Amino acid sequence: MEKGTLQKRIRGLLKEKNAILLVHYYQRGEVQEIADLLGDSFALSVEAAKTGADIIVFAGVHFMAESACILSPQKTVLLPRPEAGCPLADMITPGELAAFKKENPGVQVVSYVNSSAAVKAQSDICCTSSNVVKVINSLEGDRVLMVPDGNLARYAAGFTRKEVIPWKGYCPVHHLVTAVEVRAVKAKHPQAVFACHPECNQEVTALADYVGSTAGIIQFAKETKASEIIVGSEQGIFFPLKKASPEKTFIPASDKMICETMKLTTLDDIYRVLDRMENVVTVPEDVRVPASLALRRMLEASE
Ligand code: 13P
Ligand code: SF4
């Protein structure tokens, strides 16, 4: 079926079923085009918590759909491709977190939303890349454990007096770009500013004019006086960047920054799961209740 026709059919089905389509910035352009809400992990979790729709179709990865399910248990959450996971989220298991807590008794745990529901359930509070510093500073005590992203933990540590003890996880997409690559791109584009995601490693974030979430990078690109922007984030972000600032030039910090699981979801998948009500994401109540506390604490700390 032709793209435009399929997009119209999906929009029609969403209306008919009182469903909403939440889409992350790393999704394919044709999926981004028909979103009810297109956003970063934080904006999407806020919307998932407050929407009046009966059904949420999540064009993103598994932990995002799980968070929607945790925050809105009375709604049906569909994940168009059930195998769309996040390799970073898989870098800590509940058992590993239990052992990490045992090694650091009494220290509060901040879990990045890029984690499983079972890991969130063992955490005191969650965070996203846009509120990590606020979340850490909202806690009592002078030490925190941060899982699973070590790069995000080290980045946040630069903006708090607390000691941030990182887990050893990393996003394979953002960790991939090196300072050598960024310096080479900067040398080719001496007028350009550099914006990157805090999931990049410390040598890379040290070279940036702006570090922030995907929504933060899009906002920075709109506001900067520079007309050329080097971007250290997943390739999908170029679609909203060009849409928001068509007069500017965006240059990838590396051509290798593609999240394969984010790219799995197609328009066909969205149509099919909504039509057949397939791939319903569920979280058992004994996990959902403590995980929802950690997510709701994050939402409160971000107000
Ligand atoms: P944000 O949506 O918070 O920018 O995070 C990016 C990401 O890697 C999501 O998987
Ligand atoms: Fe996970 Fe990185 Fe892909 Fe985001 S970009 S879903 S953190 S692997």
Side-chain angles (χ1 to χ4, degrees):
M1 202 184 299
E2 190 246 323
K3 181 186 107 172
T5 313
L6 191 50
Q7 286 180 320
K8 268 196 204 127
R9 285 206 180 179
I10 293 171
R11 289 301 327 158
L13 209 48
L14 286 162
K15 200 169 169 207
E16 192 186 304
K17 298 200 172 196
N18 189 29
I20 59 162
L21 178 62
L22 302 185
V23 180
H24 191 269
Y25 287 126
Y26 295 161
Q27 291 286 297
R28 296 163 183 250
E30 64 267 28
V31 174
Q32 296 194 26
E33 276 170 355
I34 55 162
D36 285 291
L37 184 85
L38 172 64
D40 67 357
S41 305
F42 180 69
L44 294 170
S45 60
V46 171
E47 185 61 28
K50 69 169 196 215
T51 178
D54 295 322
I55 301 163
I56 298 173
V57 185
F58 220 120
V61 289
H62 189 259
F63 75 82
M64 296 178 174
E66 238 182 14
S67 293
C69 193
I70 292 165
L71 289 165
S72 290
Q74 69 290 5
K75 302 194 194 317
T76 304
V77 180
L78 307 177
L79 181 65
R81 292 292 289 259
E83 73 276 39
C86 166
L88 166 61
D90 295 339
M91 285 185 194
I92 189 161
T93 63
E96 285 171 323
L97 177 53
F100 194 34
K101 285 167 76 165
K102 214 168 169 191
E103 279 164 31
N104 297 277
V107 184
Q108 291 197 287
V109 178
V110 179
S111 63
Y112 191 27
V113 286
N114 301 42
S115 56
S116 67
V119 162
K120 289 183 177 81
Q122 283 190 41
S123 308
D124 294 281
I125 191 164
C126 293
C127 76
T128 70
S129 56
S130 56
N131 59 19
V132 56
V133 175
K134 227 175 178 178
V135 163
I136 291 173
N137 287 336
S138 75
L139 298 174
E140 284 179 9
D142 48 16
R143 301 169 82 210
V144 294
L145 303 183
M146 187 149 181
V147 301
D149 190 353
N151 284 333
L152 183 70
R154 285 180 286 275
Y155 174 74
F159 300 90
T160 176
R161 286 166 183 236
K162 295 186 200 295
E163 184 192 352
V164 183
I165 306 167
W167 184 249
K168 57 192 176 206
Y170 59 90
C171 161
V173 179
H174 288 87
H175 192 69
L176 201 86
V177 61
T178 65
V180 172
E181 276 176 295
V182 174
R183 281 198 202 94
V185 181
K186 276 175 162 243
K188 269 198 192 164
H189 302 273
Q191 307 299 326
V193 290
F194 173 48
C196 73
H197 199 278
E199 289 171 12
C200 294
N201 68 55
Q202 265 188 309
E203 294 77 40
V204 168
T205 56
L207 297 172
D209 299 285
Y210 176 80
V211 180
S213 75
T214 44
I217 294 173
I218 295 163
Q219 191 58 30
F220 168 78
K222 271 201 234 171
E223 289 167 5
T224 179
K225 288 196 174 71
S227 59
E228 282 186 295
I229 300 133
I230 302 166
V231 182
S233 190
E234 207 274 344
Q235 207 192 51
I237 198 175
F238 288 88
F239 189 80
L241 278 169
K242 284 176 195 156
K243 203 166 173 204
S245 308
E247 73 291 359
K248 299 195 176 171
T249 305
F250 297 101
I251 306 139
S254 158
D255 291 331
K256 293 171 285 182
M257 296 179 82
I258 300 170
C259 178
E260 285 176 16
T261 54
M262 278 282 188
K263 296 289 177 284
L264 284 175
T265 307
T266 63
L267 291 173
D268 282 311
D269 295 325
I270 295 172
Y271 185 80
R272 192 189 61 254
V273 294
L274 189 55
D275 187 37
R276 300 185 193 166
M277 294 302 286
E278 281 176 359
N279 304 348
V280 177
V281 176
T282 55
V283 177
E285 246 346 67
D286 60 330
V287 172
R288 193 195 68 76
V289 172
S292 122
L293 270 180
L295 275 169
R296 293 209 176 268
R297 281 197 195 115
M298 168 190 87
L299 296 175
E300 275 163 31
S302 315
E303 275 167 8

